[in-house]
């Protein structure tokens, strides 16, 4: 190999050596009151074991052709308590970033941090901003967590947030392209503003192998956002048990006793939360085939995190 080839291939080869197959290391529970968290811990061990067995069985890592920096690009770093958090949008990520900012000493309370500060303030570092040694050291020694959600609930939540409310980015960028390609006889106003995208049109875009605009993190599969078969996450939280899981995790990493995961809804607080019943109403707009293809699109996420098919 030439010197240039060695440089370009070495990050991936090192990654394979370190992470194939991923080891299921025990959680450090020295900072936790055992009786209080007995049931949560039992659930946690089942989730970890299920994901580990899935990855061992299907070994999707062998097919990976992504550079290491891309693999860790969604992971936030909190150095004080040695936490790595992979961001999955629509799974309480705004409040998780607030928590990380407090842990890191960047804020005194989760209640004083605005939505814009969370998402545009650039107060938190991501793992891909470190050099290779910094990345490997943190992957091997920090407590890594991921929080997930029923895939179709997450999808509908993203649609409602981005397309049913005024949005200066998603309407002109995604909305205009979606309406232009999938709405027959669209009027000039819709083509001009990109507002009023219907859920069926959004699903047509999602399932189209020739999408007029690319994918977006708010509806990308968790398997492609956080690479759960490549990065051995120590803790798997779920949106359905968000507060309980999050507060248990905070104890595990030695967070201040007064720091609790916030309960407030970050935006559109008057809207009904996206529940299984809300999802059913949206799925009625789709044909049987479209429903099946949408499930197939998130099939890996359903399997990895043991969600029941709709």
């Amino acid at each position: 190999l030439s010197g240039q080839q060695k440089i370009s291939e070495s990050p991936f080869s090192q990654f394979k050596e370190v992470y194939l197959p991923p080891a299921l290391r025990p959680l450090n529970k020295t900072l936790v009151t055992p009786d209080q968290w007995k049931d949560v811990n039992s659930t946690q061990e089942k989730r970890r074991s299920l994901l580990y067995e899935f990855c061992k069985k299907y070994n999707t890592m062998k097919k990976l052709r992504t550079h290491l920096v891309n693999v860790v690009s969604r992971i936030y770093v909190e150095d004080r308590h040695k936490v790595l958090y992979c961001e999955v949008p629509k799974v309480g990520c705004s409040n998780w970033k607030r928590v990380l900012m407090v842990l890191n000493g960047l804020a005194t309370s989760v209640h004083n941090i605005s939505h814009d500060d969370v998402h545009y303030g650039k107060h938190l570092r991501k793992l891909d901003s470190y050099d290779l040694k910094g990345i490997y050291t943190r992957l091997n020694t920090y407590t890594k967590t991921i929080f997930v959600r029923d895939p179709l609930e997450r999808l509908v939540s993203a649609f409602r947030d981005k397309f049913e409310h005024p949005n200066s980015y998603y309407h002109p960028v995604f909305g205009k392209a979606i309406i232009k390609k999938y709405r027959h006889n669209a009027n000039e106003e819709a083509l001009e503003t990109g507002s009023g995208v219907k859920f069926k049109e959004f699903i047509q875009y999602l399932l189209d192998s020739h999408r007029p605009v690319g994918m977006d993190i708010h509806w990308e599969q968790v398997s492609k956002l956080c690479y759960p078969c490549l990065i051995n996450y120590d803790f798997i939280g779920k949106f359905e048990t968000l507060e309980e899981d999050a507060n248990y995790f905070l104890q595990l990493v030695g967070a201040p006793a007064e720091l609790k995961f916030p309960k407030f809804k970050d935006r559109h607080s008057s809207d009904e939360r996206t529940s299984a019943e809300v999802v059913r109403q949206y799925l009625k707009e789709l044909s049987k085939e479209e429903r099946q293809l949408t499930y197939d699109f998130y099939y890996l996420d359903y399997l990895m995190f043991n969600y029941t098919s709709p």
Side-chain angles (χ1 to χ4, degrees), residues 173-241:
V173 174
F174 285 87
K176 284 168 74 170
I178 288 171
I179 289 170
K180 183 179 179 182
K181 182 161 185 181
Y182 307 107
R183 184 179 299 178
H184 302 299
N185 304 318
N187 63 40
E188 283 187 30
E189 185 185 355
L191 291 168
E192 183 65 34
T193 64
S195 297
V197 169
K198 297 179 174 66
F199 185 63
K200 187 180 180 73
E201 295 166 339
F202 173 66
I203 294 302
Q204 287 176 301
Y205 144 79
L206 184 78
L207 300 176
D208 189 347
S209 57
H210 301 287
R211 294 184 195 99
V213 273
M215 276 298 286
D216 182 85
I217 59 169
H218 290 85
W219 45 85
E220 181 68 275
Q221 301 103 317
V222 176
S223 54
K224 292 182 180 177
L225 286 172
C226 294
Y227 297 93
C229 278
L230 250 182
I231 294 172
N232 180 28
Y233 290 97
D234 303 293
F235 191 93
I236 302 161
K238 289 195 171 184
F239 186 80
E240 294 75 12
T241 49

Side-chain angles (χ1 to χ4, degrees), residues 25 80 305:
R25 68 180 187 182
R80 283 188 176 186
F305 303 111

